[in-house]
Amino acid sequence: MSIAEPTPTIGLTTISRTVASLAVGVVHTLERAVVGEGRMRTARGNAWEAVCADRARADQRAELNRLVADLAAARAAVARHQRERERQPVG
């Protein structure tokens, strides 16, 4: 009796992986050709863009907080002025 070894078959996952691998290679080559070596996206570039975006959002948040504080101070000044006018005796 001999034990027959199973014949390797090409399954759906093997084909999918092959197609995905080829697609990634084509996209990478196309990006390099269209964009150029110096302008290709890298992990470092993506990280730097994320840092810059975080800083820009923090600046916008700080500016908004300043505007809200200015508006609250102006509103308080108007309310204080109105209370002072109500307290003054009419002449």
Side-chain angles (χ1 to χ4, degrees):
M1 274 184 126
S2 67
I3 299 176
E5 292 185 21
T7 322
T9 59
I10 297 177
L12 185 59
T13 56
T14 305
I15 293 172
S16 298
R17 289 179 188 151
T18 304
V19 169
S21 176
L22 290 172
V24 167
V26 168
V27 168
H28 180 71
T29 304
L30 184 63
E31 180 183 16
R32 181 174 290 170
V34 172
V35 176
E37 288 287 331
R39 297 189 62 202
M40 284 187 57
R41 295 185 63 86
T42 61
R44 178 180 283 177
N46 291 342
W48 180 248
E49 286 179 20
V51 167
C52 290
D54 287 344
R55 288 179 180 172
R57 279 191 298 272
D59 289 344
Q60 290 173 347
R61 195 176 311 116
E63 178 64 21
L64 184 60
N65 288 339
R66 280 192 294 274
L67 288 172
V68 169
D70 289 346
L71 287 172
R75 182 174 232 179
V78 168
R80 187 172 40 251
H81 179 68
Q82 286 177 347
R83 283 192 306 268
E84 289 174 1
R85 287 184 61 196
E86 290 172 358
R87 292 181 191 164
Q88 293 178 352
V90 177

